[in-house]
Amino acid sequence: MADDGDRHRQSRLITDEDGGFDAERARDESLPVEDGELIDTDELADHQRYVEDRGIYDERNRVNDLTGREWKYATKSVLAEGYPPAVQHDLRSEHGGQKPPRLCAELIGRFSKAGDTVLDPFAGVGGTLLGASFCEHEGTGLREAIGFERNERWIELYETVLTRENDHRRARGEAPLAEQDLRHGDCADLIDEIADDSVELLLTDVPYWHMDELEQTRNERETRESKLGSFDGDETAATESAASNDTDSGTTQTKAEWLADMAEKFDRFTDAVAPDGHLVVFIGDMYRDQSYEFLSADLARAIESTAPVTLAANLIWYDPTKDLHVYGYPFSFVPSMVHQNVLVFRLEDE
């Protein structure tokens, strides 16, 4: 019987009726195929190994657990993905800034390895934490996640979502999602509990500047209170419910004050991130008062100017299912924001 190496070399003779390589037949015979071509495993370097159905993995990979083929796909700068209502969406959507857990899982898979620790200092209803748990079943392996959240209401909601989702998973015969560590308190205080260099990935959606308090309706003369207006649990008035980025006096921050506050917090957060780690930050741009607010660029500059990080990429999450409204017609062009920016920072080399 031919050894494994001979079997791979002989399999080059697998052809279709036209004399071309028959990838389907090769797969049926359990041969390593990638991008329609047969992999000769004898030619792999010592630091490479073939992972069935995934491609070639390079043991030198310090960023994630992706194979070369998966890495190539993960470098796409646009994530054009609409996530259907799932993972108890009806509950999570009570928080107006929640992110789809499977989107978080995809980003966690790009910027961490199995067993790594993920930190979300503005955890909300726990999309990052749920994503870290999904990685165990729908990715390369479980990540440990820590979240900080000021509003006890959102913490309770995360716990309810996890309980209900796991009840449904068990009913379908699926393994439950792991419970992660969601801590109640201010991130400025809780970050002191995290040891330096102990986190491989920081993934978060920052509390926005005060524009988050009000959402523009189709009628330009009317606004409605945003669901994001109660991060701190105080719902007595819109002006006092701006989020965890309000000043101690209770007054709404200016844009400059918000940027300075975020920069100061991220400077402290980076102490917890390991030298090879990344910081991945959701931030949407906004159109208000006939002006485009380039918040993603402003935030990136503020963080880079204060924290020891370099902006490595700006990914775009485009949701093709997002509802469109006729803004400004027929007098002025006003964009319908169907995307969010995902800023990717890496620590500067010492």
Side-chain angles (χ1 to χ4, degrees):
M1 180 176 179
D3 64 24
D4 198 51
D6 289 339
R7 182 167 66 94
H8 291 162
R9 282 188 287 273
Q10 292 169 3
S11 63
R12 296 180 186 276
L13 300 178
I14 295 179
T15 58
D16 56 24
E17 294 180 354
D18 298 325
F21 175 62
D22 192 336
E24 183 176 353
R25 182 180 170 192
R27 287 193 183 92
D28 289 342
E29 297 192 17
S30 301
L31 301 176
V33 176
E34 181 175 358
D35 293 338
E37 296 183 0
L38 188 69
I39 301 297
D40 189 339
T41 55
D42 287 350
E43 295 180 356
L44 298 183
D46 291 340
H47 55 264
Q48 295 178 321
R49 58 184 170 85
Y50 179 79
V51 182
E52 187 174 358
D53 297 326
R54 293 180 53 201
I56 299 172
Y57 178 75
D58 193 314
E59 302 287 355
R60 298 172 299 176
N61 185 345
R62 298 184 301 175
V63 178
N64 53 44
D65 290 323
L66 302 181
T67 65
R69 180 173 61 184
E70 293 166 338
W71 181 297
K72 179 173 67 175
Y73 176 82
T75 60
K76 292 174 61 175
S77 60
V78 176
L79 293 80
E81 185 72 49
Y83 293 85
V87 198
Q88 311 306 311
H89 178 78
D90 57 328
L91 293 177
R92 290 186 298 102
S93 62
E94 185 176 335
H95 184 295
Q98 64 88 19
K99 292 296 179 289
R102 285 186 170 85
L103 169 60
C104 294
E106 183 172 343
L107 291 169
I108 291 170
R110 292 188 184 194
F111 297 105
S112 70
K113 302 173 73 68
D116 281 353
T117 299
V118 182
L119 173 66
D120 186 346
F122 305 107
V125 289
T128 296
L129 279 67
L130 291 166
S133 298
F134 269 116
C135 286
E136 179 180 13
H137 310 289
E138 302 177 12
T140 55
L142 176 68
R143 274 69 164 173
E144 302 295 328
I146 301 171
F148 304 151
E149 177 50 49
R150 291 180 58 168
N151 190 340
E152 288 187 272
R153 173 181 166 205
W154 302 140
I155 296 176
E156 293 171 356
L157 199 58
Y158 163 73
E159 294 170 348
T160 301
V161 166
L162 184 65
T163 298
R164 290 192 184 181
E165 184 66 16
N166 280 339
D167 287 344
H168 292 171
R169 291 178 67 87
R170 291 187 183 96
R172 297 193 298 265
E174 300 175 358
L177 299 174
E179 182 178 1
Q180 303 286 1
D181 185 5
L182 184 52
R183 306 178 186 181
H184 178 236
D186 193 315
C187 63
D189 300 323
L190 294 178
I191 191 62
D192 291 334
E193 301 175 2
I194 307 300
D196 289 355
D197 301 338
S198 64
V199 170
E200 284 75 27
L201 170 63
L202 185 151
L203 173 61
T204 195
D205 183 12
V206 296
Y208 284 17
W209 175 40
H210 78 91
M211 290 187 296
D212 228 9
E213 296 173 47
L214 299 177
E215 293 179 346
Q216 193 73 32
T217 66
R218 297 186 189 187
N219 185 336
E220 64 181 10
R221 292 184 298 274
E222 297 179 1
T223 60
R224 62 178 181 269
E225 185 176 353
S226 168
K227 295 179 182 179
L228 291 177
S230 54
F231 280 115
D232 58 7
D234 183 1
E235 301 180 52
T236 58
T239 57
E240 296 178 355
S241 63
S244 57
N245 58 343
D246 278 357
T247 60
D248 293 337
S249 64
T251 58
T252 300
Q253 290 174 313
T254 65
K255 181 178 178 181
E257 289 170 338
W258 171 74
L259 288 170
D261 183 41
M262 289 295 101
E264 180 181 359
K265 283 182 168 63
F266 275 90
D267 185 34
R268 176 64 186 89
F269 295 159
T270 55
D271 291 341
V273 181
D276 291 333
H278 289 81
L279 293 80
V280 180
V281 183
F282 282 98
I283 176 68
D285 299 329
M286 291 184 175
Y287 189 91
R288 290 293 186 272
D289 299 327
Q290 302 183 31
S291 175
Y292 188 93
E293 295 289 346
F294 213 155
L295 295 185
S296 57
D298 294 334
L299 182 63
R301 292 190 187 98
I303 293 176
E304 269 195 316
S305 67
T306 306
V309 297
T310 300
L311 182 65
N314 178 30
L315 308 179
I316 302 297
W317 172 39
Y318 160 55
D319 184 355
T321 66
K322 192 173 180 63
D323 291 336
L324 296 178
H325 302 295
V326 181
Y327 295 121
Y329 180 82
F331 304 108
S332 177
F333 180 83
V334 178
S336 288
M337 308 299 285
V338 297
H339 78 281
Q340 288 199 30
N341 302 276
V342 184
L343 305 177
V344 180
F345 299 91
R346 59 170 171 258
L347 269 65
E348 295 176 347
D349 295 332
E350 295 184 1

